[in-house]
Each structure stands twice: as C-alpha cells, then as structure tokens.
Amino acid sequence: MSGERLISYSQRAPNITIAEFLRQANGHERFYWEKGDFACAGFGIAVELTAWGGDRVKSIEDKARKLFRDVVVINDAEPLLFGGFSFYSDFVTENTWAAFAPAYFVLPHYQLVKHGADTWLTLNIQIGADETYDESELREALEARYEALLNADQPILDHQPELISVNYPMPFDTWSEIITDATTRMKAGEMQKVVLSRVCEVRFDDRIDVESAMAYLNEKYADCYRFLFEPSPHLAFYGATPELLVAVDGSRIETMGLAGTIKRGQTPEEDDMLADRLLNDPKEAYEHRVVVDSQRERLTPLTSSLIIPNAPTTLKLSNLQHLYTPITGQLSTPAGVL
C-alpha cells in the first residue's frame, strides 16, 4: 500500500439484491455479512491485508488506518473491509485452512450495501499517490456493472450435489480420551469450562452450491449473523451464528454472553416450560456464569462503565434457545473495534 491511495466511488442501486449480487460473483472472490436491516457483500479484491503472530490484530489495525487515511469517498457509501482473525496466534494455516491467513481482511473491488430501504453499489480502486483519476470513467465503470447486475439471466439449477461420505479424521478412541481427560481436569479444578471439537469431513459428488446454502441459512436462521468469506474461488468459509463478538460505535461497546442451550418447544406452553428448565438448570447457569465473568474481567480495565444484568434471559432462535446476557459499556478510550 506504500505510496498508494484509495478511491471509493458509489451510486444508488435500486432493484439489486444481495443474493443476485453474490450469484453473479460465482467463480470470483466473494464476501458477505448480514443481520437485521443491514447487509453488505463484495466481490473481487482491491486490497488484501494479512498478518501473522501475536501482534496480528495491531498489525491489521495499522494497515487499515493507513489504507483509509487519505481515502477519497465519492458520494455517500463508505468502503468496507471483510475478514477475521484466528483465535490463537500460533494458528497454522494448513489443510482445510490453507487459503486463510491468521489475520486476513479484504477490501472488495465491488461492494453492495443494503441498509433499510437504501442500496448502494461501490467501486473501490487503488492508484499511485501521484496519479490522477477521472471521475467520469469511474462512473461509467460502475454504471456498467449496475446494468449487468440488473440484466443478468437467472440460472437454471438442474443438479444438486449428492452426499458421498461423512468422515471423522480423528479416531473415536482418541476423541473419547480427550473428553475423559477434559472432564478429569475439570473435576480436579484445573479448568472451569471447556469446549471440545473435532473435524468432520463431508464429501459430495460436485461442488457445494454456496448460493443455495446461503439462501437456506437466510431462511432458517434470519435472526442470526450470516456470513461468507471466499478469498479464493470455491474455497469458502460461511455460516450463521447468533453470537455477537463485539460492536463498537464511538465509545459505546456492545457484546453478549451466550452459553447454555435447550431446544424449542412444539407449542408455546412447551417452549415456556423448556425455557424455565434452562433458566433453572444449575449446570447451564454455571457455564453461562463462567462466560459472563470472563467477559467482565476482560472488559472492566477497558471501560469507564459496564452494564451487565445480574441474571440471564433466554434468546429464542428458530430451533434452539440460549441463556443470554446482553453487555454494554463505555470505553475509557475510544479506539475502534479492533
């Protein structure tokens, strides 16, 4: 990015849906995020930001500040970065995750943002610090993309991939030993809470239809955060989660404690009965309290005020309900989401 500056040109884009935008980007790099009345998507790559090691978050923050420092925004829509971080600094990018750096963010070449009734299409480009740009050329390029989105043919879906196999690379005996070791260490007081996982490989006879998968998530999990990060064609990380990691707006910070789960009921009466069981289950209450106490411990040094209810409520989703504690506060020093 040295010696370069970012140009971001936008126009209103009525009658374009996020789904259509992503479908036309099939075979390119694609990115997507949606919750409530806000959705954004991108395709192509204008800028990539990557980092490794223990300072990867700070490194991405520095690179992002440099990228946006002298940005030229033409019209109202702001350029957006899509990406994320590995949980651990020593994460090794191999096998399934070979295409994903431990800290990896992308500014898409084209982005579409829907907020309520407004839809904006944006073109992002980088030019040399001494280069000039022609606004009319940017407008023509963006208008051409908008017309292509409007006039694209609808696909004919004549084949859905069929399941071939389901495989767990970790042997069951090894998995069982890990569970036994974890429970033993918890009983000894070494750990308060642990979440174990293992890889499951599901193979189909053809490529996964990501658009169909996202359409399913949007229908079944509309109350969750839905996301897609596809930095290389056909290497996609996507899903839906009810959990907000963090949102920052100026000095205001928002997160949540979400731990403790039970199914939904078939009737309102059964649903209420299950919720009451969840709220009064000592095991679930303990696990939830561990999560909330951890967040309190991490956030207290960073905030001038912190609001955490004394007891959780339930967050009801389409198929599950969770113990839920909303957490809000004021940052002592506003510093952005990273």
Side-chain angles (χ1 to χ4, degrees):
M1 295 186 299
S2 178
E4 295 180 312
R5 59 176 175 158
L6 175 64
I7 312 296
S8 186
Y9 186 96
S10 302
Q11 69 172 50
R12 290 187 182 276
N15 303 316
I16 300 297
T17 67
I18 293 287
E20 176 61 21
F21 181 84
L22 289 172
R23 185 187 70 78
Q24 287 204 41
N26 191 358
H28 299 269
E29 305 90 350
R30 295 186 291 184
F31 316 96
Y32 160 74
W33 189 96
E34 182 169 3
K35 178 68 163 67
D37 68 347
F38 182 84
C40 52
F43 80 81
I45 295 178
V47 180
E48 286 182 296
L49 306 179
T50 57
W52 285 259
D55 64 346
R56 64 199 185 287
V57 176
K58 181 65 165 59
S59 177
I60 291 292
E61 182 178 27
D62 292 343
K63 292 177 180 180
R65 290 187 186 279
K66 185 175 181 180
L67 172 65
F68 293 127
R69 183 175 56 205
D70 298 317
V71 60
V72 177
V73 176
I74 303 171
N75 298 326
D76 289 344
E78 299 284 347
L80 298 174
L81 287 171
F82 296 77
F85 300 93
S86 63
F87 280 103
Y88 299 107
S89 60
D90 59 353
F91 173 71
V92 178
T93 54
E94 62 182 5
N95 301 325
T96 302
W97 298 98
F100 301 84
Y104 195 177
F105 284 77
V106 168
L107 178 72
H109 189 45
Y110 290 99
Q111 73 179 44
L112 188 71
V113 173
K114 291 182 69 69
H115 193 185
D118 288 336
T119 306
W120 287 86
L121 183 64
T122 300
L123 171 64
N124 297 309
I125 63 169
Q126 267 197 319
I127 63 173
D130 299 325
E131 287 186 69
T132 60
Y133 62 92
D134 187 328
E135 189 171 324
S136 63
E137 291 183 357
L138 297 178
R139 182 171 59 251
E140 290 174 5
L142 195 59
E143 185 64 34
R145 172 57 57 186
Y146 177 57
E147 291 297 325
L149 287 166
L150 280 176
N151 299 314
D153 294 330
Q154 293 297 317
I156 299 175
L157 299 178
D158 57 359
H159 173 68
Q160 289 293 330
E162 293 189 6
L163 178 66
I164 296 175
S165 65
V166 177
N167 176 51
Y168 292 89
M170 179 184 291
F172 180 81
D173 288 346
T174 303
W175 176 235
S176 180
E177 289 171 5
I178 291 173
I179 295 172
T180 300
D181 177 64
T183 54
T184 300
R185 293 170 64 186
M186 288 186 70
K187 290 175 183 177
E190 293 181 42
M191 298 184 295
Q192 291 182 295
K193 176 180 169 68
V194 60
V195 179
L196 303 178
S197 65
R198 58 175 174 157
V199 170
C200 175
E201 296 177 341
V202 183
R203 296 187 179 274
F204 293 83
D205 68 347
D206 201 351
R207 284 195 178 117
I208 299 296
D209 181 357
V210 173
E211 297 100 282
S212 294
M214 296 309 304
Y216 175 85
L217 293 177
N218 287 333
E219 177 186 356
K220 299 295 184 180
Y221 302 98
D223 42 9
C224 291
Y225 299 90
R226 287 94 69 200
F227 61 89
L228 165 68
F229 190 71
E230 189 177 4
S232 298
H234 312 301
L235 291 171
F237 173 45
Y238 62 89
T241 174
E243 192 166 11
L244 170 68
L245 178 63
V246 64
V248 174
D249 183 3
S251 63
R252 185 179 188 275
I253 185 169
E254 178 183 358
T255 182
M256 63 171 65
L258 201 67
T261 306
I262 202 166
K263 66 181 180 178
R264 296 296 304 271
Q266 297 297 313
T267 65
E269 292 77 16
E270 184 189 15
D271 203 50
D272 291 341
M273 180 270 293
L274 289 168
D276 187 65
R277 182 191 301 174
L278 179 64
L279 287 165
N280 291 284
D281 186 316
K283 170 188 173 293
E284 301 291 354
Y286 168 78
E287 292 188 2
H288 186 83
R289 187 168 62 252
V290 169
V291 170
V292 173
D293 287 347
S294 174
Q295 290 169 304
R296 179 186 289 107
E297 179 181 347
R298 289 167 177 264
L299 290 174
T300 296
L302 304 176
T303 54
S304 57
S305 66
L306 195 59
I307 300 173
I308 303 178
N310 292 326
T313 59
T314 55
L315 180 66
K316 295 179 183 292
L317 305 174
S318 60
N319 60 332
L320 298 170
Q321 44 191 326
H322 302 284
L323 291 181
Y324 164 65
T325 297
I327 300 172
T328 58
Q330 295 293 318
L331 292 169
S332 302
T333 303
V337 69
L338 295 183

